[in-house]
Amino acid sequence: MNDEYEAEPRLLPPAKLAKSFLIVAGCYTLFCVCWLGTFLILTRFFFPEVFATLQDPDVFEKALENDVESVLPRGLVWSWIATNSVLCLLLGWVVARAAPFGKFSHAVFLAILIFVSGLQQAIGAQQSLVWMFVLMMAAFPIAVLFGARLALSSPKATEDEGI
C-alpha cells in the first residue's frame, strides 16, 4: 500500500501531509476566532460604550460612517492589535513546534494567510479604517514568524531536530 512512498523518497506519506494541513488550518481558524473574540472581550470589559453601540447594527453603521473614533477609539485599536500580536506570537510557536516537517515553512505559510486576510480587509474597508488593517497586515505576520523563530531557537527544539 505504501510501496509508492517507499520507492520514491521525495514523496511524503499522506498522514504527514494531513497533519501539516490540519496544523496550519487549525491555527488560522484559531487566529480568526481570537481576532474577533479579543475585540468583543476588549469592548465588553474596557470599552462598554463601544460594546453598547455594537448591540444595535443600525446605530453602529451610522456611527461608523459619521465618526469612526466613536466606534473604534485609538485605545481600543492599539490594545486589540497588541493582544492579537501576542496571540500570533503564540500561534507561530505552536505551528513551529507541531509541524511534522519544514517547521519554519509552516509558520511562513500561516503568516502569508494572515497577511492576505489583512489585505482583503484593507481593500474592503472604508478609507478611515485602512490604516488599522495595514498595521495588522504588518504586525500579525511578523509576530507569527517571531514566535516560530523563538520555538526553533530553544534548546529543546535543537534536541528534537537532532542538531
Side-chain angles (χ1 to χ4, degrees):
M1 180 170 205
N2 282 334
D3 294 337
E4 64 189 69
Y5 297 106
E6 292 169 6
E8 185 65 46
R10 295 177 307 192
L11 294 178
L12 292 170
K16 274 191 174 183
L17 293 174
K19 182 180 178 183
S20 172
F21 173 78
L22 290 174
I23 288 169
V24 174
C27 284
Y28 178 71
T29 303
L30 188 61
F31 164 75
C32 293
V33 169
C34 289
W35 185 73
L36 182 60
T38 54
F39 180 76
L40 293 174
I41 290 169
L42 287 171
T43 56
R44 173 70 174 101
F45 293 109
F46 299 109
F47 298 90
E49 65 282 350
V50 175
F51 189 75
T53 306
L54 289 172
Q55 302 303 313
D56 187 7
D58 296 329
V59 173
F60 177 74
E61 287 294 325
K62 284 184 182 180
L64 195 59
E65 290 172 6
N66 297 333
D67 184 23
V68 174
E69 282 287 325
S70 67
V71 179
L72 293 170
R74 299 230 183 229
L76 171 60
V77 172
W78 286 109
S79 59
W80 188 31
I81 290 173
T83 304
N84 281 297
S85 293
V86 171
L87 290 172
C88 284
L89 183 90
L90 292 172
L91 285 176
W93 189 89
V94 167
V95 164
R97 298 296 275 174
F101 59 90
K103 295 177 179 293
F104 195 74
S105 300
H106 282 76
V108 169
F109 190 72
L110 178 63
I112 290 170
L113 284 174
I114 292 172
F115 177 83
V116 170
S117 294
L119 182 61
Q120 289 174 331
Q121 294 292 324
I123 290 171
Q126 59 178 303
Q127 191 62 33
S128 57
L129 294 176
V130 171
W131 70 271
M132 179 179 69
F133 293 112
V134 169
L135 187 59
M136 288 179 186
M137 282 172 32
F140 298 163
I142 289 172
V144 168
L145 296 176
F146 188 68
R149 183 71 180 137
L150 284 175
L152 297 176
S153 66
S154 70
K156 174 87 171 104
T158 55
E159 282 178 17
D160 293 343
E161 294 284 326
I163 298 173

